[in-house]
């Protein structure tokens, strides 16, 4: 009789944990841990797929809304494009947007096509006795106020480009100009 065929050697072989992944037995604790990790990964993948599906469905529904609105939305988009560049005047020394300017920015943002970028050029003048950076600081405050309105109207922050200037080279000295850039 050979040693491999003895009952004690086969019993020892059955109870000995063996490396995983070779079609042989593995210790039960190792299997449970692997199963838990696999189940957790599957659950995470399922949740991610469900979220992506919901986002795709909601995006599809949102894309259908302008079609239901018909020509009114198309006219608003054409009006926004025809408004570009839009110039919003400000009171001298103030960063508060006038009501008419606020409405104009909101209408401008509503009519923009997807993936269109907006360039915000802000100009300001400061008093003669003000420090040199005061005009640029005031222009920055105005640009940030316009960006806040654009963000509230649904334009993402990556689609808004701010440029802050001191005195305007031409036109009214205290203003913010909005212009449209191509798809980004």
């Amino acid at each position: 009789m050979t040693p491999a065929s003895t009952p004690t050697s086969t019993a020892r072989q059955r109870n000995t944990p063996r490396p995983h992944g070779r079609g042989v037995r593995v210790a039960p604790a190792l299997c449970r841990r692997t199963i838990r990790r696999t189940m957790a990964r599957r659950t995470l993948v399922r949740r991610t797929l469900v979220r992506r599906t919901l986002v795709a469905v909601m995006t599809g529904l949102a894309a259908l809304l302008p079609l239901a609105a018909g020509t009114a939305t198309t006219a608003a988009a054409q009006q926004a494009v025809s408004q570009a560049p839009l110039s919003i005047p400000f009171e001298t020394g103030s960063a508060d947007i006038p009501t008419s300017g606020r409405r104009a920015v909101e209408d401008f943002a509503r009519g923009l096509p997807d993936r269109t970028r907006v360039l915000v050029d802000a100009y300001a003048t400061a008093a003669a006795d003000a420090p040199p950076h005061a005009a640029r600081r005031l222009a920055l405050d105005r640009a940030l106020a316009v960006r806040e309105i654009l963000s509230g109207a649904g334009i993402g922050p990556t689609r808004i480009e701010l440029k802050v200037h001191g005195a305007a080279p031409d036109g009214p000295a205290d203003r913010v100009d909005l212009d449209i850039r191509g798809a980004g």
Side-chain angles (χ1 to χ4, degrees):
M1 213 174 206
T2 63
S5 63
T6 61
T8 56
S9 64
T10 56
R12 203 175 306 132
Q13 287 175 354
R14 283 188 217 139
N15 294 330
T16 305
R18 296 185 184 147
H20 183 65
R22 295 190 181 151
V24 292
R25 292 186 157 186
V26 181
L30 182 62
C31 286
R32 281 189 218 109
R33 188 177 331 132
T34 305
I35 289 171
R36 282 189 205 123
R37 287 180 183 163
T38 304
M39 297 291 282
R41 283 189 201 117
R42 286 182 184 164
T43 303
L44 180 64
V45 168
R46 284 186 193 126
R47 287 180 183 161
T48 304
L49 288 175
V50 167
R51 286 184 189 131
R52 287 183 182 164
T53 304
L54 286 173
V55 167
V57 168
M58 296 303 285
T59 305
L61 291 175
L64 293 177
L65 289 177
L67 295 176
T71 58
T73 304
T74 308
Q78 289 172 350
Q79 181 183 8
V81 171
S82 68
Q83 286 178 357
L86 175 67
S87 186
I88 302 160
F90 280 80
E91 294 290 325
T92 303
S94 172
D96 296 330
I97 300 175
T99 308
S100 61
R102 180 178 294 276
R103 268 190 251 114
V105 172
E106 289 170 349
D107 291 341
F108 181 86
R110 268 191 228 108
L112 288 177
D114 288 343
R115 298 175 47 101
T116 303
R117 297 180 61 197
V118 178
L119 174 63
V120 178
D121 278 317
Y123 301 97
T125 56
D129 60 343
H133 67 278
R136 288 181 54 90
R137 180 62 194 179
L138 181 58
L140 176 64
D141 291 342
R142 291 174 179 175
L144 292 174
V146 170
R147 184 180 71 174
E148 184 178 324
I149 294 172
L150 289 170
S151 297
I155 305 296
T158 58
R159 292 174 49 198
I160 303 170
E161 181 181 344
L162 301 179
K163 287 193 178 179
V164 178
H165 309 279
D170 58 350
D174 292 303
R175 72 176 196 268
V176 171
D177 294 336
L178 297 174
D179 202 359
I180 295 176
R181 297 279 187 182

